[in-house]
Amino acid sequence: MNGTDGAAGTRSTGSTGSTGGADVAGGRTGGSGTTGAAPALRPLTARSIVLSTLLGHHPPALPARALVRVGEVFGVAEGTVRVALSRMVASGDLVQRADGTYGLTARLLARQARQDDSRAPRTRDWRGRWEIAVVTAERRAAADRGALRQAMAALRLAELREGTWLRPANLRRPHPPVVTEQCTLLTGAPEGDPAALAATLWDLDGWAAAARALVAAADAAEETGDLARRFTVAAASLRHLLADPLLPAELLPGDWPGAALRARYDAFEDDFRAVLRRHAAPG
């Protein structure tokens, strides 16, 4: 499923990912802008159906007729889907290949990778160390500052103060050039309570409350068998998972709902893949 790129300030709870939304590095609110409430469910559109289908498909390329069939499952007319495809090619979201399939552009392929990581994060044992990135580049252009914030969002670092970003060193991922060219990278450990520090950097209670509301919404939608409703709840769930700071268990409040929300999303994706096999198969 999909999301759009954005930036953030300090302290994070936001929702990011599917059918729109913004990646959030740090900022007390993000995405829905509602602390502790379930992120808003966005309306089902031809564009969101196409993007979510491709972003959930590996490899992310399908012919128009397959995407039209998926649209029909949700009551979207063929002409509406084909217009959306044309507009998405024009806007740089999709590329139409020589074999007639539609695929994601590089920007959306990167989004797919972030989404995959948010669902199955690559972690390592945490030994109390923290990643620290201090901005040391001078005379940075506005575009460079914005690119750095987006990179920090993807790396799930939070901004302690302007120009100083950090997080527990429990994730496995490289630092892109936009970070290494603008920052000096350090490792260290706080002298005080690391859990207290984490609570000042991320709104953990707010994220957890929103995640629990999404789990409840997913359960309710599954009970009714409403695929369209499940689709929109799953999209909001994936946005929210992209804002999970992925902290070590030692720094999280009890009964952290991250695993439960991932399980609900995985259950939806299994069912949606079955829909794709039935309706998006060649032929």
Side-chain angles (χ1 to χ4, degrees):
M1 294 199 158
N2 64 348
T4 55
D5 296 329
T10 54
R11 207 165 179 207
S12 171
T13 180
S15 312
T16 60
S18 196
T19 63
D23 288 346
V24 178
R28 180 164 180 87
T29 61
S32 69
T34 305
T35 302
L41 302 182
R42 298 174 182 175
L44 199 60
T45 66
R47 182 180 186 278
S48 68
I49 291 168
V50 168
L51 282 181
S52 292
T53 299
L54 290 174
L55 283 160
H57 196 72
H58 293 77
L62 287 168
R65 63 181 177 277
L67 295 167
V68 165
R69 289 171 184 161
V70 175
E72 291 172 347
V73 172
F74 297 102
V76 179
E78 176 179 351
T80 303
V81 173
R82 291 189 180 276
V83 168
L85 289 172
S86 296
R87 289 176 175 173
M88 292 162 73
V89 170
S91 66
D93 289 330
L94 302 181
V95 59
Q96 187 173 14
R97 299 174 176 173
D99 63 0
T101 61
Y102 287 84
L104 301 178
T105 56
R107 177 176 61 84
L108 290 173
L109 288 172
R111 183 190 306 174
Q112 186 184 53
R114 290 196 303 275
Q115 291 176 179
D116 290 345
D117 283 344
S118 75
R119 294 179 53 204
R122 293 170 290 175
T123 60
R124 58 186 174 186
D125 291 340
W126 186 58
R127 304 182 185 279
R129 307 290 283 176
W130 286 61
E131 299 178 24
I132 305 168
V134 180
V135 176
T136 50
E138 298 182 358
R139 299 183 181 86
R140 295 182 300 148
D144 293 334
R145 293 195 298 271
L148 179 63
R149 283 189 172 273
Q150 290 187 13
M152 293 305 191
L155 293 170
R156 287 178 166 81
L157 274 79
E159 193 170 30
L160 179 65
R161 54 171 296 172
E162 185 175 0
T164 302
W165 301 79
L166 69 166
R167 67 157 294 112
N170 69 317
L171 297 182
R172 297 180 182 274
R173 70 277 189 272
H175 292 84
V178 67
V179 173
T180 57
E181 291 169 1
Q182 296 188 49
C183 300
T184 296
L185 303 179
L186 310 165
T187 57
E191 292 189 358
D193 180 4
L197 175 59
T200 67
L201 294 171
W202 292 277
D203 181 9
L204 301 179
D205 290 339
W207 192 94
R212 292 187 184 102
L214 284 166
V215 168
D219 289 345
E222 186 172 5
E223 286 180 5
T224 65
D226 185 339
L227 184 62
R229 177 71 175 180
R230 291 185 68 192
F231 186 99
T232 57
V233 172
S237 299
L238 190 52
R239 287 196 300 273
H240 200 56
L241 286 171
L242 279 166
D244 184 349
L246 299 178
L247 300 179
E250 299 92 322
L251 304 185
L252 292 172
D255 194 25
W256 183 251
L261 187 59
R262 286 180 176 84
R264 297 306 188 282
Y265 182 86
D266 288 346
F268 165 79
E269 186 176 66
D270 287 344
D271 291 344
F272 190 56
R273 281 178 177 169
V275 171
L276 290 182
R277 286 194 296 270
R278 291 195 303 269
H279 297 276

